[in-house]
Amino acid sequence: MSKDANNIRKKKNAIINRYGLIVILFLTVFIVIFGYIIRIMFVEGEQWRALGLKETVKKDREIKPNRGNIYAADGRLLATSEPLYGVYMDFMSEGIRKDTLMKYVGDLSVRLSKKFPDRTAAQYKNVILNGWELSRRELAEIERNKASGSDKQVKLKSRYVRIIKRDIDYLELKELRTYPFLNQRSNKTGLIVEERTMRAKPFGRLAGRTVGSIYKDMAKGGASGIEMKYDSILRGKPGVKSRQKVQGRWIDIVEVPAEDGWDVKTTLDVDIQDITERALYAKLVETDAESGTAIIMEVATGEIKAISNLDRISDGVYAEGNPNAFSYMNEPGSTFKTLSVMIALEDGVVTPNEKFHVGNGLYQYGKSWIRDHYWQKGQDRGDLTVAEGMYISSNIVIAKTILKGYENNPEKYVQRLYDLGITKKIEWDVPLSGKEGTAVIRHPNDKSSYWSKTTLPWMSFGYETQIPPIYILMFYNGIANGGKMIKPFLTKAFIKDGDVQEKFETEVINPSLCSPKTLEEIKAMLVGVVNEGTGKAVASKSFQIAGKTGTAQIASGGNYANGHFVSFCGYFPADKPLYTCFVGIRRPRGIPSGGLMPGGVFKRIAEEVYARNVFVAPDQCKPDSVMTMMPYVKNGSLKDMQTVFTQLNIPFTLPVGEAEWVMASTLQNKIELSKNVVQNGLVPDVRGMGAKDALFLLERAGLKVVLQGYGTVTSQSVPAGSRVIKGSQVTLGLK
């Protein structure tokens, strides 16, 4: 028993020793761990907490604010920010299965080519399959490098292969995600979408130079126009956020919210802007001019309703370029004569009926000759009154008028020009530099500017001065506005979240240009220019226009053999002016004419703008023997005509049988429609149609169309019935 007890005791001691060792081991481990905990908490705590924060929290990430919008006067958008998306495929994505890709690549390519036709279905398929094959080769190369122990890096060309050439919008992206293969989770398709914010212009290039542009990197802000002028208002203030990892997912925590930019509301009228740009563009193409500018402003307020600056970029092609309306520093020519005559009338130097001898249009002053535009014709015009001199734009009459009053005191004449406010430094709504945007008129006492014996008479009819078009417009608007000259402006208000933060009001530059008597005399002369003088081509049958033509030779290298700057500035209707307009064209081809060239643009703008504001009730229209109450109808789509006639309750007769395109004729009491047969392979007859229908038919036939003019098609360069040559050009004349 004692032996057994001894063995039991030995076993107990062994167990106790073994467990004791385990306890000692656990105590030792616990003490070590506790020591590490103490060390981490109190010795290395800051280091590890910083590392943990770094792994779970990313601080001070910028929140980009939304750039403010730019609006037209009626609230229509001229510029706004919108997200666009670049579409890529990552062929290194582990989730892409070859069998699934091959199953859907054909259908996917077809859908892509229909939606984004800059590639064919075959080309889309090649891009996708080539990307896949390239990814396999690159993966194989990576594996070879690993096996050989090489640290050579493989440049992954199969990562982020661009599938669609252009960036797409959100709606296009939503549709894209419904396409075969791409309708799966992105980790199975490798679809990568890169978002970036772009500046969009809903009306395209309309008022493009005035609205302006931003840099490709939006963070740099505005690059030109209103976008640049009010960049600090539009851009907003960035915020700050941190990203924190919670349960394996990153979430944004906003620390300082971003402040979105304010909106800018302009004075521009989209419809008037469209009228102005089309009219100017057509005349520049017609005259093959170097550039042109047109501005139209509201008489009573000074609000600029339209402004167009077009520069030639290639033969027959013009685009918004330099802000010529504000910055074009050129001698104005005869539009300046109105200033000279106003000063002379106001000072009592002459009366409108005072006469001066002009003879055959040549007048020698000192050693120089002053010439009227008719001097080479050998015509002796004898004596002309001051008013008649304005009508025919006589340099001699204006020069003799100013010499009579100020030859011995040119300082008085120049000071009177300054007093008008024409040289006042004005800050405009577009960014300019240096002297641009400010009129420059010499002063005889200014030693920094050259003043000669001939400066005064030449200045009187618009030479030896530099006046941007906007100043000429401002002065003529002062005449239309009862003598009160106000600043033309483009920016109406700054808006935040729909509330007006700052509103811009009319700014008076000169409350009274002259006495009421002088003003009425000047107004009568400007009407006479249009009715009897150099502006006859501007006259409208619908209302009275008043204004003045201008033709100035462009100086270069000390001589005047560098082309012409022709202009017309005036207002309409003359009896109750609503708008003032300036049109200038630089270096037109052909015989320069302020009346025919810019005057033609002015007339078209004035008539179209005036028509927008005129409504005559049907019961006020009294038909007579030569007037029909039925409207004139252009040839065109049968469906469109039926819709219009039905809505207007106008009786019409249909052609026998079906016809997509019809000829329309207006009869005494109804509209008669007849077939206009379009045969495949033959050029259709589009005369009598509007531009929309004519374009549809000709382009459907495979022809390229060039439009000249506006209105109804009156001629086509390729005769109707000719055999169609695909891709050839046909020019349509519209009136």
Side-chain angles (χ1 to χ4, degrees):
M1 293 292 293
S2 61
K3 186 176 180 180
D4 291 337
N6 190 40
N7 289 335
I8 291 170
R9 190 166 48 250
K10 286 182 179 179
K11 289 181 179 179
K12 283 183 177 180
N13 289 336
I15 292 171
I16 291 170
N17 289 337
R18 189 161 58 246
Y19 279 108
L21 289 173
I22 293 172
V23 169
I24 291 170
L25 180 62
F26 271 108
L27 283 173
T28 303
V29 171
F30 175 76
I31 291 170
V32 171
I33 292 173
F34 186 75
Y36 271 109
I37 291 172
I38 297 299
R39 181 180 177 184
I40 289 170
M41 287 179 64
F42 299 103
V43 179
E44 300 176 355
E46 285 300 319
Q47 176 186 347
W48 289 108
R49 277 191 290 272
L51 181 61
L53 192 65
K54 182 178 180 181
E55 292 298 319
T56 59
V57 177
K58 297 181 179 180
K59 294 185 66 66
D60 298 336
R61 296 169 67 90
E62 183 180 87
I63 304 174
K64 293 182 179 180
N66 294 316
R67 189 174 180 86
N69 298 325
I70 300 176
Y71 292 97
D74 63 358
R76 284 186 276 184
L77 270 173
L78 296 175
T80 188
S81 297
E82 69 173 10
L84 292 177
Y85 304 89
V87 179
Y88 304 83
M89 285 183 73
D90 176 9
F91 290 103
M92 289 287 188
S93 178
E94 295 180 0
I96 297 182
R97 293 171 55 90
K98 183 178 181 180
D99 56 346
T100 307
L101 178 63
M102 296 305 170
K103 178 180 178 181
Y104 292 111
V105 67
D107 292 339
L108 173 61
S109 300
V110 170
R111 293 289 296 274
L112 289 172
S113 66
K114 288 181 178 179
K115 182 67 179 179
F116 309 103
D118 48 358
R119 281 192 178 121
T120 64
Q123 288 172 330
Y124 277 110
K125 188 173 183 178
N126 285 337
V127 168
I128 294 171
L129 293 182
N130 288 341
W132 169 260
E133 294 298 331
L134 181 61
S135 70
R136 301 308 99 185
R137 290 196 296 269
E138 290 172 344
L139 284 171
E141 186 177 354
I142 291 172
E143 291 300 320
R144 286 196 299 270
N145 290 343
K146 284 183 179 179
S148 63
S150 172
D151 58 356
K152 181 182 177 182
Q153 296 293 318
V154 178
K155 189 175 182 181
L156 301 178
K157 296 180 181 179
S158 63
R159 275 235 153 136
Y160 312 127
V161 175
R162 184 148 194 157
I163 301 302
I164 300 172
K165 289 183 178 180
R166 65 172 176 85
D167 291 338
I168 63 176
D169 60 33
Y170 179 69
L171 293 177
E172 290 173 323
L173 177 61
K174 283 188 67 177
E175 181 180 342
L176 186 73
R177 293 186 187 277
T178 66
Y179 289 180
F181 186 69
L182 299 182
N183 56 8
Q184 304 176 68
R185 293 176 63 179
S186 59
N187 66 332
K188 293 186 177 181
T189 64
L191 181 66
I192 302 293
V193 177
E194 184 182 272
E195 179 180 346
R196 60 193 181 106
T197 302
M198 297 293 292
R199 203 64 167 162
K201 295 182 178 180
F203 289 96
R205 293 179 297 177
L206 202 68
R209 186 58 181 79
T210 303
V211 173
S213 61
I214 62 172
Y215 289 102
K216 192 171 184 180
D217 179 1
M218 280 191 69
K220 293 182 179 180
S224 64
I226 292 173
E227 293 274 22
M228 180 178 177
K229 179 71 175 181
Y230 298 114
D231 182 64
S232 60
I233 298 292
L234 290 161
R235 69 163 56 231
K237 295 180 181 179
V240 178
K241 67 180 178 181
S242 61
R243 297 201 78 195
Q244 187 167 345
K245 203 169 189 178
V246 178
Q247 295 181 346
R249 295 180 61 189
W250 288 98
I251 61 172
D252 289 336
I253 298 176
V254 176
E255 298 179 5
V256 179
E259 295 182 25
D260 291 341
W262 291 3
D263 299 329
V264 175
K265 186 176 184 179
T266 71
T267 62
L268 295 173
D269 183 304
V270 172
D271 297 322
I272 297 178
Q273 180 71 36
D274 181 52
I275 290 168
T276 301
E277 286 192 16
R278 286 190 292 104
L280 180 62
Y281 196 105
K283 186 60 68 172
L284 294 180
V285 171
E286 178 187 324
T287 59
D288 193 26
E290 179 184 273
S291 63
T293 187
I295 333 162
I296 180 167
M297 67 182 282
E298 200 169 68
V299 169
T301 64
E303 294 183 6
I304 295 175
K305 292 302 174 185
I307 180 169
S308 181
N309 300 285
L310 297 175
D311 293 332
R312 183 174 57 204
I313 57 176
S314 63
D315 289 344
V317 179
Y318 294 83
E320 287 278 340
N322 298 314
N324 296 323
F326 299 94
S327 62
Y328 183 50
M329 304 296 289
N330 190 69
E331 293 163 309
S334 296
T335 53
F336 191 83
K337 290 173 180 175
T338 308
L339 284 80
S340 295
V341 173
M342 177 181 284
I343 290 170
L345 292 173
E346 187 70 0
D347 287 349
V349 173
V350 293
T351 66
N353 295 321
E354 185 165 343
K355 292 185 176 182
F356 292 94
H357 185 70
V358 296
N360 60 1
L362 287 171
Y363 169 60
Q364 188 172 17
Y365 183 75
K367 295 182 180 180
S368 299
W369 289 92
I370 297 174
R371 296 177 173 86
D372 280 346
H373 58 85
Y374 58 88
W375 71 274
Q376 290 178 312
K377 297 180 180 179
Q379 180 182 3
D380 189 340
R381 297 205 176 191
D383 297 337
L384 293 177
T385 65
V386 172
E388 290 169 337
M390 280 285 286
Y391 300 165
I392 73 161
S393 201
S394 169
N395 294 337
I396 295 174
V397 168
I398 306 305
K400 286 187 174 183
T401 295
I402 298 306
L403 286 170
K404 177 186 177 184
Y406 309 98
E407 184 174 19
N408 298 321
N409 189 7
E411 295 89 347
K412 182 179 180 181
Y413 168 74
V414 175
Q415 188 57 50
R416 293 286 283 109
L417 289 172
Y418 289 175
D419 292 343
L420 289 175
I422 201 71
T423 59
K424 183 177 179 179
K425 176 74 174 177
I426 297 176
E427 184 176 350
W428 303 110
D429 299 84
V430 294
L432 301 168
S433 61
K435 293 192 303 181
E436 294 179 338
T438 303
V440 178
I441 295 178
R442 299 179 186 178
H443 196 287
N445 296 334
D446 184 359
K447 294 182 180 179
S448 64
S449 64
Y450 177 73
W451 187 276
S452 69
K453 182 178 177 62
T454 59
T455 298
L456 179 64
W458 259 258
M459 183 184 290
S460 71
F461 51 82
Y463 284 86
E464 304 206 24
T465 62
Q466 289 183 315
I467 304 181
I470 194 72
Y471 275 91
I472 298 295
L473 176 78
M474 181 173 68
F475 172 75
Y476 276 80
N477 192 78
I479 297 171
N481 198 31
K484 182 168 71 174
M485 188 167 75
I486 56 181
K487 172 189 170 182
F489 67 100
L490 274 163
T491 307
K492 202 166 188 175
F494 296 148
I495 300 171
K496 180 184 180 184
D497 299 327
D499 297 324
V500 175
Q501 303 297 310
E502 186 176 352
K503 188 176 181 180
F504 296 90
E505 303 290 350
T506 302
E507 180 182 338
V508 178
I509 303 298
N510 187 343
S512 180
L513 290 172
C514 58
S515 66
K517 178 176 179 294
T518 298
L519 187 66
E520 291 307 312
E521 290 170 341
I522 289 293
K523 284 183 173 181
M525 291 181 190
L526 296 180
V527 169
V529 169
V530 175
N531 291 346
E532 304 177 37
T534 54
K536 280 184 179 180
V538 188
S540 173
K541 295 179 180 179
S542 303
F543 54 92
Q544 180 64 61
I545 293 173
K548 182 72 183 74
T549 56
T551 304
Q553 291 179 293
I554 299 174
S556 178
N559 61 67
Y560 287 96
N562 200 31
H564 292 81
F565 178 67
V566 290
S567 60
F568 185 91
C569 192
Y571 50 86
F572 62 93
D575 54 341
K576 293 181 180 179
L578 295 174
Y579 300 101
T580 303
C581 182
F582 175 94
V583 181
I585 296 177
R586 182 177 170 88
R587 293 197 178 98
R589 185 169 293 180
I591 300 173
S593 169
L596 292 172
M597 293 174 173
V601 177
F602 184 104
K603 179 180 179 180
R604 178 173 168 182
I605 293 172
E607 290 186 333
E608 291 194 33
V609 170
Y610 183 78
R612 295 174 69 248
N613 296 282
V614 175
F615 174 76
V616 180
D619 57 1
Q620 294 177 327
C621 300
K622 298 179 180 179
D624 55 31
S625 58
V626 295
M627 187 177 90
T628 176
M629 294 295 289
M630 302 303 292
Y632 170 75
V633 184
K634 298 175 184 176
N635 300 344
S637 169
L638 174 61
K639 184 177 179 181
D640 289 347
M641 289 185 184
Q642 284 180 285
T643 301
V644 173
F645 297 153
T646 301
Q647 290 295 319
L648 295 177
N649 198 26
I650 295 176
F652 63 93
T653 58
L654 289 170
V656 178
E658 296 183 358
E660 181 183 356
W661 299 90
V662 298
M663 302 287 287
S665 58
T666 302
L667 304 178
Q668 184 67 27
N669 297 313
K670 65 181 179 180
I671 305 294
E672 183 176 272
L673 307 179
S674 58
K675 288 185 179 180
N676 185 6
V677 180
V678 178
Q679 297 181 1
N680 290 333
L682 300 181
V683 177
D685 187 354
V686 297
R687 290 171 298 177
M689 292 185 181
K692 183 192 78 170
D693 290 334
L695 275 169
F696 175 79
L697 281 181
L698 293 171
E699 289 183 349
R700 189 174 68 170
L703 299 169
K704 294 181 179 179
V705 183
V706 175
L707 301 176
Q708 292 183 350
Y710 66 100
T712 304
V713 177
T714 57
S715 64
Q716 56 187 90
S717 60
V718 180
S722 303
R723 183 68 58 185
V724 169
I725 301 175
K726 299 282 186 180
S728 62
Q729 179 175 297
V730 55
T731 301
L732 302 183
L734 293 86
K735 287 185 180 179

